Amino acid sequence: MKEKTTKESDCPLVLTFQQLVQQIKQLDVVLNREEIENLLTSVTCELTDYQEFIGYAEPYHRKSVVKSESGFAELLVMTWHTNQQSPIHDHYESSCGIRVLQGKMTETLYELVNENRVRQTTTQEWSAGEITSAEASFDIHKISTQSEEGLVTLHIYSAPLDPTKMRRFVEIE
């Protein structure tokens, strides 16, 4: 993901969670990384806004909030309990933005060594209110948390993420 931290207070436009849901629902174009980041920066989120989307699953819980009616974007809430993590993956043709709602997120970035093997390059921690984003197909990463209180993240994918097309990778030393 992009090595940039944005705080919600850096953006002048303020959206409620429900206004963000409506914007995503009505989208009729694919968003780029900057547009996704602007939306995630603009939204104010209270626990009551996303509480119904929090859950438990292995390796993490993923719940769609809304997809655009024209199929251009998707808003998701993901829940990560202590020591849970995603596989190492890319996002195929989807640009992505992640906003940490609760807890601390660890993002590990990788570089491609060959067709399906990667090597770790950097690790960065993200706290509540911080945002990271990436343009389609450019980053390979893994999301995890060791936080005792767990982790809740808000994601926008444009185009909606297709898990069947995402590539998964094996880490080498």
Side-chain angles (χ1 to χ4, degrees):
M1 293 294 215
K2 188 171 183 277
E3 289 192 32
K4 176 182 177 197
T5 303
T6 304
K7 289 282 193 177
E8 53 199 282
S9 60
D10 293 342
C11 187
L13 175 66
V14 177
L15 297 171
T16 66
F17 188 79
Q18 285 307 314
Q19 287 171 326
L20 175 62
V21 168
Q22 287 307 309
Q23 280 204 9
I24 297 296
K25 186 176 183 177
Q26 296 170 3
L27 272 176
D28 58 359
V29 295
V30 172
L31 301 174
N32 63 33
R33 182 206 53 80
E34 185 177 336
E35 293 165 324
I36 291 170
E37 190 172 293
N38 287 340
L39 283 173
L40 288 170
T41 302
S42 301
V43 66
T44 58
C45 294
E46 301 295 328
L47 177 59
T48 55
D49 294 326
Y50 58 87
Q51 191 167 20
E52 69 184 276
F53 303 104
I54 294 174
Y56 181 83
E58 288 290 343
Y60 55 87
H61 183 263
R62 170 190 165 117
K63 181 70 175 171
S64 180
V65 177
V66 66
K67 284 187 180 181
S68 64
E69 293 171 349
S70 301
F72 290 101
E74 182 174 18
L75 180 68
L76 297 119
V77 172
M78 294 188 186
T79 310
W80 315 76
H81 294 277
T82 305
N83 296 320
Q84 286 190 311
Q85 64 184 12
S86 71
I88 302 168
H89 65 280
D90 68 4
H91 291 152
Y92 187 61
E93 295 179 350
S94 297
S95 292
C96 171
I98 302 171
R99 175 169 165 180
V100 177
L101 297 176
Q102 293 176 227
K104 283 193 185 272
M105 178 179 86
T106 301
E107 180 181 33
T108 307
L109 298 175
Y110 298 87
E111 65 183 1
L112 194 60
V113 174
N114 61 33
E115 186 177 320
N116 67 348
R117 296 189 182 277
V118 294
R119 178 179 298 117
Q120 181 179 331
T121 58
T122 61
T123 298
Q124 186 160 354
E125 281 202 351
W126 304 94
S127 298
E130 293 182 323
I131 294 164
T132 182
S133 62
E135 207 66 58
S137 300
F138 287 112
D139 289 322
I140 299 169
H141 75 154
K142 171 178 72 177
I143 302 297
S144 62
T145 188
Q146 284 73 47
S147 173
E148 288 297 320
E149 74 272 11
L151 169 67
V152 180
T153 54
L154 183 66
H155 300 241
I156 296 176
Y157 293 100
S158 188
L161 193 59
D162 182 346
T164 65
K165 293 181 179 175
M166 289 172 39
R167 294 184 303 164
R168 289 178 170 68
F169 301 91
V170 176
E171 183 174 5
I172 64 170
E173 299 296 320

